[in-house]
Amino acid sequence: MNRRKFLKNTTLSTAGLAVGSTLISCAEDSKIEKPIITTKAVASFPLVIATWHVENATAEAYKVLEKGGNALDAVEAGCKIEEANEKGQSVGKGGLPDRDGNVTLDACIMDKNGNCGSVVYLQNVTHAISVARHVMEKTPHVMLAGKGAEKYAYELGFKKENLLTEASKEAWEKWKVEAKYKPIINIENHDTIGMIAIDKNGDISGACTTSGLAYKMGGRVGDSPIIGAGLFIDNEVGGCVATGLGEEVVKTVGSFLVVELMRQGKSPQEACEEAIGRIVNKPNSNYKNFQVGYVAVNKQGETGCFGIHQWFSMTKYQNGVNEQIQSEFMVKA
Ligand code: SD4
């Protein structure tokens, strides 16, 4: 094994950083703390990280990587687990519908060469992430929407399915009684799945898939299928995926921002914190009422995650350990 490969495959431990927190200036009156990073950065390949608590999905992706598979296949396989999981009410089949009762999916994928594909407002097809991959690999385009995306999926052989499960229909019927639209700050089980993998060659790919915000307006598209907002990968630098209120992520081009901050030398953790700060510190930010969370990894395999509020989490599979990591957060009540 040559030295470069040896270094790539060897666990690199960097020093743990000090524990503590400092107050940062912030809009309004709440006590907002900027934690100093407490996690030890331990870097090694292969690895998978994902938003929220999705250990089955990271396990599936890691299986691909362990067999020597590439990061792109790994993130697609991982995301498909959650898309097929009818109990997850914010991804794929079983996702909560828009206010008219339609389940509409957004997804995107990006590879080590900067290629990307996405589908927005896709209906009746469970595996939006796979359709997005086909858009990337087989069409001259980056993004297909609505009926066009659905038609393309059927041409590829995807089957037409009713994505509105009884449980999601029931939740929607209950919601209709008051029909108040309010973004949900945290979904306790799991949520939009954004996933990034680094394979044994050190190459990075990422994917993001969601049914978007529950009871959104018909036609609404969030950040998750928007390259640079919901996901961004630069194989020279690292990758980032977002979850939470997509409108706020789009306004700050969040995932691209995190990757660019890492390019400038910030750790993944520092970059996620700064990107969250950009949202919170905007004039008149309504941050108390919504959640945004980022997970990121750099080329060395160091990871970071950060949310506006408590209860955001990252699932990480690295060094044979598949674990849920509770994210640090900005707003301490
Ligand atoms: C969206 N970002 O459609 C997605 C939803 C999400 O936690 O991540 N919810 O805005």
Side-chain angles (χ1 to χ4, degrees):
M1 190 184 289
N2 67 31
R3 182 179 144 78
R4 195 159 160 259
K5 204 155 176 208
F6 173 79
L7 284 174
K8 262 188 187 170
N9 290 338
T10 303
T11 298
L12 304 172
S13 293
T14 58
L17 301 170
V19 180
S21 64
T22 51
L23 284 173
I24 60 165
S25 66
C26 180
E28 297 196 37
D29 50 340
S30 55
K31 193 174 141 225
I32 291 177
E33 292 186 0
K34 179 182 186 305
I36 294 170
I37 316 313
T38 57
T39 45
K40 279 203 170 121
V42 178
S44 77
F45 314 139
L47 76 87
V48 185
I49 57 169
T51 53
W52 305 102
H53 187 194
V54 288
E55 277 156 336
N56 291 341
T58 47
E60 188 69 19
Y62 200 78
K63 224 191 275 172
V64 172
L65 299 172
E66 266 185 323
K67 285 189 203 143
N70 66 48
L72 188 65
D73 289 339
V75 292
E76 183 189 3
C79 285
K80 282 175 75 176
I81 293 289
E82 288 305 314
E83 288 179 335
N85 174 9
E86 293 186 18
K87 290 195 181 129
Q89 289 190 305
S90 53
V91 182
K93 198 166 192 178
L96 290 169
D98 64 17
R99 57 187 60 179
D100 305 318
N102 298 312
V103 180
T104 70
L105 307 183
D106 293 339
C108 75
I109 194 158
M110 192 162 189
D111 75 7
K112 63 176 181 177
N113 297 317
N115 296 311
C116 49
S118 102
V119 289
V120 309
Y121 198 72
L122 175 67
Q123 289 177 260
N124 303 313
V125 177
T126 299
H127 292 301
I129 200 64
S130 300
V131 185
R133 182 168 176 180
H134 283 290
V135 172
M136 173 174 82
E137 292 180 335
K138 298 202 179 118
T139 79
H141 307 302
V142 160
M143 193 179 276
L144 289 183
K147 286 284 168 222
E150 190 177 342
K151 181 167 167 275
Y152 180 56
Y154 300 146
E155 282 166 16
L156 292 165
F158 287 83
K159 71 173 195 273
K160 183 168 184 165
E161 286 179 89
N162 175 18
L163 304 184
L164 187 65
T165 55
E166 275 311 310
S168 290
K169 190 167 172 211
E170 216 173 277
W172 171 60
E173 302 281 1
K174 266 195 205 142
W175 174 81
K176 277 200 295 181
V177 175
E178 289 200 19
K180 274 196 195 140
Y181 178 67
K182 194 162 162 258
I184 301 166
I185 286 201
N186 281 301
I187 295 174
E188 303 307 337
N189 290 333
H190 66 87
D191 207 317
T192 292
I193 173 163
M195 182 178 275
I196 308 171
I198 308 188
D199 58 33
K200 70 172 185 352
N201 297 322
D203 288 323
I204 312 171
S205 292
C208 189
T209 181
T210 188
S211 53
L213 296 180
Y215 319 128
K216 59 197 175 185
M217 288 174 70
R220 182 263 187 191
V221 170
D223 61 315
S224 303
I226 310 294
I227 295 294
L231 166 71
F232 197 71
I233 302 293
D234 183 326
N235 200 37
E236 297 288 305
V237 178
C240 176
V241 276
T243 183
L245 185 62
E247 281 74 5
E248 297 300 320
V249 177
V250 169
K251 286 178 205 166
T252 49
V253 201
S255 293
F256 182 73
L257 174 62
V258 170
V259 172
E260 287 306 300
L261 289 166
M262 293 194 289
R263 189 195 305 283
Q264 289 163 25
K266 293 210 184 297
S267 70
Q269 184 65 34
E270 290 166 340
C272 289
E273 290 183 21
E274 182 163 338
I276 290 292
R278 295 276 178 102
I279 295 171
V280 168
N281 288 309
K282 279 202 322 212
N284 304 320
S285 175
N286 191 25
Y287 65 87
K288 284 181 187 166
N289 297 320
F290 62 81
Q291 173 72 300
V292 170
Y294 292 112
V295 305
V297 63
N298 66 15
K299 188 71 178 166
Q300 289 70 44
E302 293 166 344
T303 60
C305 59
F306 200 63
I308 297 177
H309 299 281
Q310 199 170 10
W311 308 124
F312 175 50
S313 63
M314 166 171 82
T315 307
K316 169 157 136 173
Y317 206 144
Q318 189 176 30
N319 299 318
V321 180
N322 192 10
E323 59 183 343
Q324 189 190 10
I325 295 169
Q326 211 55 52
S327 171
E328 283 285 0
F329 53 98
M330 193 167 260
V331 179
K332 313 271 165 143

